[in-house]
Amino acid sequence: MSFVQNFPFFSIILAMFSGIISSVLSGKKARNLSLVMIAVTTALSAGTLLFCLRTGESYPYMMGHFPAPWGNEIRAGILEGVTAVFFGVVMFLAVLGGLDHTAEDVEENKLNLFYIMIDLMLSSLLALVYTNDLFTAYVFVEINTIAGCGLIMIRQKGRSMSAAIRYMIMSQLGSGLFLIGLSILYDITGHLLMSPAKESVAALAASGAYRIPMLVIMAVVGVGLAIKSGLYPFHYWIPDTYGYATPTASAVLSGLVSKGYIFLLIKIFYRVLGYDNLVSSQMVNVLYVFGITGMVMGSLHAIHETDTRRMTAYSSVAQIGYIYMGIGLGTQYGMVAAVFHIFTHSATKALLFISAVGLYEASGDKKDYVSLRGAGYRNPLAGIGFTVGSLSMVGFPMLSGFISKLLFATSALESPHKMLPTLIVLAVSTTLNAVYFLRLVITLYSRRRPEDAPIPEVKVRSSWHLRLAILCFIAVNLVLGMWSQPIVQAIADGLAMFG
Amino acid sequence: MEGNMILLLPMVCPVAAGIVVLAGKMFRKDRKYLTGVSVMVLVLEFALTLWAVMSGGSLTMLRLTERLTLGLGVDEVSRLFAVLTASVWLLVGIYSVAYMSHEEEEHRFFGYYLIVVGVLMGLNFSANLITLYVFYELMTLTSLPLVLHERSKEAVRAGLKYLFYSVAGAFLALFGIFFLAGVSESLTFTAGGVLNDGALAGKEGLLLISAFCMIVGFGAKAGMFPLHGWLPTAHPVAPACASAVLSGLITKAGVLAIIRVVYYVIGADRLRGTWVQNGWILLTLLTVFMGSMLAYREPVMKKRLAYSTVSQVSYVLFGLSMLNQTAFVGALSHVVFHSVIKHALFLTAGAVIVTTGWTRVEQMRGLGQVMPKTLACYTIAALALIGIPPASGFVSKWYLASGALSSGTGVWSWAGPAVLLVSALLTAGYLLPLTIQGYFPGHDFKGEEIQKRKLAGKEPSLWMLAPIGVLAAAALLFGCFPGSLISMLQSIAASVL
Amino acid sequence: MIQHLSLNIEETVAVILFGVGFTILLLHRNLIKKIMGMNIMDTATYLFLASKGYITGRAVPIVVDGVQEVSAYINPVPSGLVLTGIVVSVSTTALMLSLTIRLYERYHSLDLDEILILAKEEEQT
């Protein structure tokens, strides 16, 4: 066994240990440790990815001394590697970009707690990506929820705390359903490891036994994770949560946490329940309907918002809808498009949340439309960052959002029954996106009116880390938009490895 | 990146210069520096365009996905549009040197002015539909600051309107592009179309729907009904030189896109006789008539010219919708002629605004006493647009009408020319009053304002007058010697039809 | 049908309890009751798992008298899962309770709707 194969395990445990060590460190040291840790785990994930690309196959990694089907396993393949690297990069930039705001929002003596949460969050995200065991997935889903809740409530404002408890309640509903789902699965298959469980499921499907329990499992697991990732009818917690947390937390929650759950869902679909069973059980159609409803409704809500952060949050509802729509198409292409949109959305939404920080700084920390008028001139780089993010969300060519749309549309052409609704909803949703995002962009570049309230103190320049983070996010967006081919290929190969 | 790199130059050079102008501090302080550099870049741009057009060839820039590439190439149509764009852009640039001295934040105008021409060149040289779409969106985005220049409430509203119409149109078109990508080998422009019969089997209905979506969607830029609304809003608030290029060249980008889609991707034969053709003809004729009518009733000069653009660009689209060689020649020649003429008209309106501050037509009584030479140029351009021989508009309208008559489209073949004729009368009705009132204000006209403000004989500076004069002369000369242009257009028409 | 249900009485009860807990967590406005609902929901799942692992007549899987063969003991995995699950649910309960205390100190209410309204008002002032 090559030494590189240990890397996934190392990265998970490293993130977790840094969280534990941070509890005795000062805020600043915890912050530095966190940044170094994220960089190192990303490098480790990159190593894993390169290994998998070179060997061209995935490998399971035994945790402890019991071999499958009894012991615990993690598994690394191309898709896991790409996702882990990507999550690491986005996490690093989000933490980097939000540094100052975090220091302002969080009490001095609690700053290290914030970074503990970040460390635990990364650890649980990596575990969700790599795990090959359903119960481990459940445990890390809970750790993820707790860390997420911590990230929201660390800003000691009334609204962020009420948002945190709402988030917690919705998450508990989701994880409760997930847990009962996998208990039933364990009941009928006798396995918690994904690979043997899949064999049993396939055998059961072939024999036609336990048809209704299987259906219940699919529904319960699907709905549970859909609640946690904020799919349309279960989205109530999103605007408050993303709207009132500190910017790093918003970027991480919207960009990564919901995506971690979706990734887990895809993994369970492929590696346990079997994608063909899912397609034949109509479950994908349910997700598809929820997805396209979300695409339209999320955008409609966003149009009504005057608070720009809540607007951005509602746009997440629409974008999550895109991802589920792709999953719901029920084809390989649709799934590739969905996974690509996971990347697109996390890079773009994090960019929006982080560059918005620069705009708020230049507008006396106000977040409504009127105060932001002309902010693009007061903080040019943040303005450009927000513009690029918005254009990418709308789907302008050369940016990542365009490739997502292209992939969705071409995959829709492959599935005859869903082609027309998909294309129509795609067009409608894009136009709605354009309405609110471009309106905001124009607002950023229009002249302040005499009747506008004066800006208290204009911070002329943002700190270097914010600017660096914005630049890197723009670069990530452009790379996804212009050199998407290898990434799409990697996603397709990775999904093929899921089997 | 493989192929003829020269094609990149007309695109990269002005964009880079524009970014430098936007970012550089010295351009904000020193006006001479700014205008000098801008004009020099525009001259260079003209030379580079000629070089690129001469050298020909093609260039693959980037692979977006396996089948979709970003590529440039030169064919007859791109030659026509590229040379037209570069030369008119240069003239308007020279005019702007004088015009923009009355406006604030010139560096922003010139910066984006340079960037837009680079993007337009990319559009003109696009070798496939995806590249065209990319540059089309970029053009919307980069030309937006020209509309927003004043940054007033009205300008912002107009900018938003411009953006939404363009973006909605572009996404409507994107719907079609996604479909076409599925039924063709590649989306590279080829005369006669690239669609694959095998892949298309059973999807003919969808092909027609997406063709119609693309025509209407790209038609937004060309001001075709029902997405024409942005033109009359955006033009009055933009600086006159910006309105000139918006209406003279940016609208033509929509025309170019439609030509590419209909004649170079789908193929004219697939649309002939279908409901798409009929619907398209109906829309263009409606736009021609409605635009002229609205222009006739419009008192504000720049808005009147904007409505006139709505109507005149739809002449072009009407010619294209006939799917017939003669009408096609008429359409393309009208692209050139209308562009030249409309620039002359808008620049005149700008000159009037700068010198006198008059914006409404009834204020301009006695204009002949203020700027007789400018008004003479205006008159020539106006006559050309109406289509009085030997000026250029006559030639294009002749081809349009005779093409329509021989197109075999049933009722349209005679209804079309009739509408064109009525519209020509209306054109005379809305353009000539300025000339008549300007030179012959009548006995009751005392010209108090002209005397009080000492406006008599106050021609605009040579920087402004010269471009107007050149454009007016071109409008006349194209009509007298159309031979070589028409024969070039006929060869294009023969290749696509 | 009834026979099936009574035969699998533990599972039936577990699923009913799960439904009760889920509904309380979703619909009740009082935060403390929500937390109770959450605990009922989790405990129902543990009951389900534990009953799945139990085999009538066998012993707890702890080797005391040197009996080594597998047939003497029940399946240990579900018991392990239940233990892990309890740890998880204790920690989430603790977190929820601490949040509830915070909110109660701030708004003197346990009604979630009321808290949300109060928080909104607080922010606007």
Side-chain angles (χ1 to χ4, degrees):
Chain A
M1 192 173 87
S2 155
F3 181 66
V4 184
Q5 285 174 285
N6 293 311
F7 281 3
F9 166 68
F10 286 172
S11 58
I12 296 172
I13 210 74
L14 193 68
M16 195 163 266
F17 277 161
S18 348
I20 295 168
I21 296 168
S22 294
S23 59
V24 294
L25 294 180
S26 71
K28 217 167 208 175
K29 280 188 186 140
R31 181 191 82 192
N32 295 342
L33 177 67
S34 188
L35 281 171
V36 171
M37 179 277 294
I38 299 172
V40 172
T41 50
T42 310
L44 290 177
S45 307
T48 316
L49 173 62
L50 285 179
F51 178 81
C52 290
L53 281 175
R54 214 180 51 231
T55 58
E57 51 194 27
S58 60
Y59 62 89
Y61 178 86
M62 192 172 82
M63 307 278 287
H65 296 289
F66 294 100
W70 298 285
N72 197 343
E73 267 183 3
I74 57 179
R75 178 182 176 278
I78 292 179
L79 191 55
E80 283 95 337
V82 174
T83 315
V85 171
F86 197 79
F87 280 10
V89 170
V90 172
M91 181 73 114
F92 185 81
L93 294 177
V95 171
L96 190 70
L99 276 189
D100 307 301
H101 232 268
T102 309
E104 278 169 33
D105 279 347
V106 180
E107 288 167 35
E108 178 80 44
N109 57 349
K110 290 196 172 140
L111 194 57
N112 66 334
L113 291 179
F114 182 84
Y115 290 102
I116 293 175
M117 294 305 165
I118 290 280
D119 297 346
L120 288 182
M121 177 65 80
L122 184 63
S123 161
S124 60
L125 278 173
L126 289 173
L128 287 185
V129 169
Y130 286 125
T131 183
N132 199 24
D133 180 278
L134 283 167
F135 204 78
T136 314
Y138 166 70
V139 172
F140 278 100
V141 162
E142 290 289 12
I143 294 178
N144 198 315
T145 309
I146 293 172
C149 186
L151 285 178
I152 305 164
M153 66 186 282
I154 199 112
R155 188 160 172 257
Q156 302 272 348
K157 293 270 166 55
R159 280 207 94 164
S160 35
M161 279 194 322
S162 57
I165 196 138
R166 250 180 141 181
Y167 174 70
M168 202 65 199
I169 291 165
M170 287 311 278
S171 296
Q172 284 308 313
L173 291 173
S175 25
L177 286 175
F178 182 61
L179 179 61
I180 192 84
L182 60 92
S183 302
I184 301 173
L185 185 74
Y186 177 66
D187 179 16
I188 61 173
T189 62
H191 291 291
L192 284 170
L193 271 185
M194 292 185 182
S195 330
K198 187 178 182 184
E199 284 165 22
S200 313
V201 168
L204 287 178
S207 70
Y210 290 118
R211 190 151 284 171
I212 295 172
M214 281 307 294
L215 217 58
V216 171
I217 293 168
M218 284 175 198
V220 164
V221 169
V223 171
L225 288 174
I227 291 179
K228 292 186 79 90
S229 50
L231 181 60
Y232 171 65
F234 319 114
H235 68 284
Y236 290 102
W237 53 274
I238 283 191
D240 276 6
T241 311
Y242 297 173
Y244 300 107
T246 186
T248 302
S250 303
V252 169
L253 285 167
S254 72
L256 301 180
V257 175
S258 51
K259 306 302 159 8
Y261 297 136
I262 297 177
F263 188 85
L264 179 64
L265 186 64
I266 294 176
K267 196 163 184 172
I268 291 177
F269 280 177
Y270 271 91
R271 307 249 324 122
V272 182
L273 301 176
Y275 199 59
D276 300 331
N277 299 337
L278 217 67
V279 174
S280 59
S281 73
Q282 309 293 321
M283 184 63 199
V284 286
N285 296 345
V286 176
L287 290 180
Y288 177 77
V289 171
F290 282 156
I292 58 172
T293 323
M295 285 163 70
V296 176
M297 295 309 289
S299 305
L300 285 179
H301 279 298
I303 288 177
H304 287 295
E305 278 297 336
T306 50
D307 181 314
T308 51
R309 279 183 70 181
R310 286 176 66 89
M311 183 204 89
T312 319
Y314 268 121
S315 120
S316 287
V317 177
Q319 302 296 328
I320 298 279
Y322 277 86
I323 298 174
Y324 277 100
M325 185 268 285
I327 296 174
L329 280 174
T331 59
Q332 194 73 21
Y333 287 111
M335 197 54 103
V336 172
V339 175
F340 190 83
H341 198 65
I342 290 181
F343 297 156
T344 297
H345 182 238
S346 59
T348 313
K349 204 37 76 68
L351 168 64
L352 285 172
F353 275 118
I354 291 298
S355 53
V357 172
L359 299 174
Y360 302 147
E361 276 175 2
S363 314
D365 222 15
K366 295 267 179 47
K367 296 175 178 68
D368 54 321
Y369 268 95
V370 178
S371 310
L372 284 179
R373 209 173 272 151
Y377 294 108
R378 299 194 290 276
N379 192 336
L381 184 62
I384 292 173
F386 200 89
T387 309
V388 170
S390 303
L391 294 179
S392 171
M393 285 279 92
V394 177
F396 266 68
M398 317 290 278
L399 295 169
S400 54
F402 177 73
I403 302 291
S404 288
K405 297 236 158 93
L406 189 73
L407 291 174
F408 278 128
T410 36
S411 55
L413 293 175
E414 305 286 329
S415 42
H417 300 300
K418 290 172 184 161
M419 172 167 73
L420 220 52
T422 308
L423 289 181
I424 290 172
V425 171
L426 213 54
V428 169
S429 162
T430 305
T431 316
L432 292 176
N433 277 346
V435 168
Y436 58 87
F437 270 123
L438 297 185
R439 188 177 60 188
L440 183 53
V441 168
I442 299 244
T443 309
L444 292 182
Y445 289 102
S446 55
R447 191 188 299 229
R448 289 183 70 77
R449 309 218 178 108
E451 71 265 22
D452 292 353
I455 305 159
E457 53 181 293
V458 176
K459 205 169 173 182
V460 182
R461 263 173 112 77
S462 307
S463 57
W464 66 266
H465 22 261
L466 177 61
R467 279 182 286 149
L468 179 67
I470 293 176
L471 279 177
C472 292
F473 268 131
I474 294 177
V476 170
N477 243 303
L478 284 172
V479 167
L480 282 179
M482 289 163 61
W483 291 279
S484 60
Q485 200 52 38
I487 301 167
V488 172
Q489 193 56 47
I491 294 172
D493 292 347
L495 281 175
M497 277 182 192
F498 272 5
Chain B
M1 209 55 99
E2 52 203 85
N4 185 1
M5 302 293 274
I6 297 165
L7 292 184
L8 271 183
L9 289 178
M11 213 172 83
V12 172
C13 170
V15 170
I19 291 171
V20 170
V21 165
L22 282 178
K25 283 215 171 59
M26 66 266 201
F27 294 108
R28 260 169 248 192
K29 288 185 199 125
D30 197 349
R31 172 148 213 282
K32 272 186 198 143
Y33 221 71
L34 173 68
T35 52
V37 167
S38 303
V39 172
M40 255 152 60
V41 171
L42 286 173
V43 173
L44 179 69
E45 168 71 3
F46 184 68
L48 288 176
T49 307
L50 287 184
W51 189 21
V53 162
M54 298 294 205
S55 71
S58 64
L59 171 74
T60 307
M61 290 190 289
L62 196 69
R63 289 186 179 278
L64 278 183
T65 71
E66 226 166 278
R67 282 168 52 227
L68 303 179
T69 55
L70 289 187
L72 302 179
V74 179
D75 64 359
E76 295 292 315
V77 175
S78 50
R79 282 204 177 102
L80 179 75
F81 277 82
V83 173
L84 178 71
T85 308
S87 42
V88 174
W89 214 267
L90 173 63
L91 288 174
V92 179
I94 292 169
Y95 173 91
S96 312
V97 170
Y99 183 87
M100 290 307 288
S101 63
H102 305 273
E103 299 262 344
E104 289 170 27
E105 303 207 49
E106 283 176 74
H107 72 278
R108 215 174 61 227
F109 174 84
F110 279 106
Y112 284 111
Y113 188 76
L114 292 176
I115 292 177
V116 175
V117 71
V119 173
L120 265 178
M121 282 307 163
L123 187 79
N124 293 336
F125 286 127
S126 296
N128 58 49
L129 201 51
I130 290 291
T131 320
L132 182 104
Y133 179 78
V134 168
F135 283 110
Y136 188 85
E137 290 278 35
L138 276 178
M139 178 188 69
T140 304
L141 218 57
T142 49
S143 58
L144 180 65
L146 299 182
V147 179
L148 279 176
H149 188 78
E150 303 273 343
R151 291 208 284 152
S152 60
K153 210 169 177 176
E154 293 74 38
V156 170
R157 199 172 301 142
L160 274 175
K161 201 167 177 185
Y162 171 56
L163 195 61
F164 286 149
Y165 275 83
S166 305
V167 167
F171 286 128
L172 210 57
L174 189 60
F175 177 89
I177 295 179
F178 285 149
F179 174 78
L180 292 182
V183 292
S184 59
E185 293 305 324
S186 74
L187 290 174
T188 308
F189 298 137
T190 317
V194 291
L195 297 192
N196 187 332
D197 279 316
L200 203 59
K203 294 181 183 164
E204 287 83 3
L206 269 172
L207 173 70
L208 293 184
I209 293 175
S210 51
F212 195 68
C213 280
M214 294 175 85
I215 289 170
V216 172
F218 284 127
K221 258 288 168 3
M224 189 172 79
F225 181 84
L227 291 175
H228 63 284
W230 64 274
L231 270 159
T233 319
H235 282 88
V237 295
C241 27
S243 347
V245 292
L246 274 177
S247 112
L249 284 172
I250 305 269
T251 53
K252 302 300 186 297
V255 174
L256 176 65
I258 291 181
I259 294 178
R260 293 301 197 184
V261 168
V262 172
Y263 292 93
Y264 286 81
V265 176
I266 296 178
D269 292 336
R270 287 184 202 276
L271 297 184
R272 187 167 288 125
T274 61
W275 63 268
V276 174
Q277 192 192 9
N278 290 318
W280 188 15
I281 297 173
L282 179 66
L283 285 181
T284 55
L285 288 181
L286 209 63
T287 320
V288 166
F289 184 68
M290 186 196 64
S292 298
M293 237 11 232
L294 289 170
Y296 187 69
R297 296 178 38 190
E298 177 59 52
V300 177
M301 187 64 193
K302 272 168 82 179
K303 253 187 163 164
R304 179 178 285 194
L305 292 177
Y307 280 124
S308 152
T309 302
V310 171
S311 144
Q312 294 292 330
V313 177
S314 277
Y315 275 66
V316 177
L317 295 180
F318 170 73
L320 294 177
S321 69
M322 285 287 124
L323 306 177
N324 152 298
Q325 282 201 30
T326 320
F328 185 84
V329 170
L332 277 191
S333 55
H334 203 62
V335 165
V336 178
F337 301 156
H338 173 253
S339 177
V340 168
I341 294 166
K342 197 41 71 68
H343 278 94
L345 297 180
F346 260 112
L347 296 189
T348 313
V352 174
I353 291 174
V354 166
T355 326
T356 65
W358 296 338
T359 55
R360 298 169 74 87
V361 179
E362 74 261 16
Q363 290 174 313
M364 298 185 189
R365 241 177 128 192
L367 191 67
Q369 297 171 13
V370 183
M371 38 178 85
K373 289 182 200 156
T374 316
L375 192 58
C377 295
Y378 170 87
T379 309
I380 293 172
L383 291 175
L385 193 64
I386 299 162
I388 305 219
S392 55
F394 172 73
V395 178
S396 51
K397 288 184 184 180
W398 173 262
Y399 276 98
L400 282 174
S402 56
L405 286 172
S406 63
S407 66
T409 46
V411 69
W412 301 120
S413 57
W414 57 265
V419 172
L420 295 194
L421 197 65
V422 173
S423 164
L425 288 176
L426 285 168
T427 310
Y430 62 74
L431 285 179
L432 288 184
L434 183 64
T435 306
I436 298 167
Q437 298 278 323
Y439 283 124
F440 314 108
H443 295 300
D444 55 334
F445 181 73
K446 301 282 185 294
E448 284 146 358
E449 198 190 344
I450 294 177
Q451 282 163 16
K452 207 191 303 170
R453 290 172 57 191
K454 298 200 179 92
L455 286 173
K458 208 173 161 196
E459 291 280 357
S461 71
L462 197 61
W463 285 95
M464 290 164 88
L465 189 56
I468 300 176
V470 171
L471 287 167
L476 189 62
L477 290 176
F478 268 129
C480 302
F481 309 103
S484 55
L485 179 69
I486 295 293
S487 62
M488 174 189 165
L489 296 181
Q490 267 161 345
S491 76
I492 302 178
S495 72
V496 296
L497 281 159
Chain C
M1 182 72 187
I2 299 291
Q3 202 181 4
H4 271 292
L5 289 180
S6 61
L7 208 63
N8 297 308
I9 187 72
E10 292 98 338
E11 286 86 344
T12 317
V13 171
V15 169
I16 292 171
L17 279 178
F18 185 89
V20 169
F22 189 86
T23 320
I24 296 178
L25 179 58
L26 183 65
L27 298 178
H28 223 288
R29 305 199 318 191
N30 187 306
L31 282 174
I32 297 291
K33 289 191 181 166
K34 267 189 190 295
I35 296 170
M36 289 162 87
M38 184 183 96
N39 275 289
I40 294 173
M41 186 176 83
D42 285 346
T43 317
T45 322
Y46 307 145
L47 172 62
F48 183 89
L49 274 173
S51 71
K52 280 292 132 192
Y54 184 68
I55 304 165
T56 322
R58 296 193 187 176
V60 180
I62 303 168
V63 180
V64 261
D65 300 331
V67 182
Q68 291 278 355
E69 64 264 34
V70 180
S71 59
Y73 300 112
I74 62 167
N75 183 357
V77 177
S79 315
L81 298 183
V82 170
L83 282 176
T84 322
I86 288 174
V87 174
V88 171
S89 82
V90 164
S91 44
T92 48
T93 310
L95 183 64
M96 291 272 274
L97 281 171
S98 70
L99 257 172
T100 310
I101 294 170
R102 279 288 185 69
L103 286 168
Y104 184 75
E105 280 171 354
R106 206 173 177 123
Y107 299 112
H108 304 289
S109 168
L110 285 173
D111 186 325
L112 185 60
D113 294 355
E114 203 178 319
I115 290 173
L116 289 174
I117 293 167
L118 286 171
K120 211 174 217 170
E121 281 169 5
E122 183 196 51
E123 194 202 35
Q124 276 159 2
T125 50

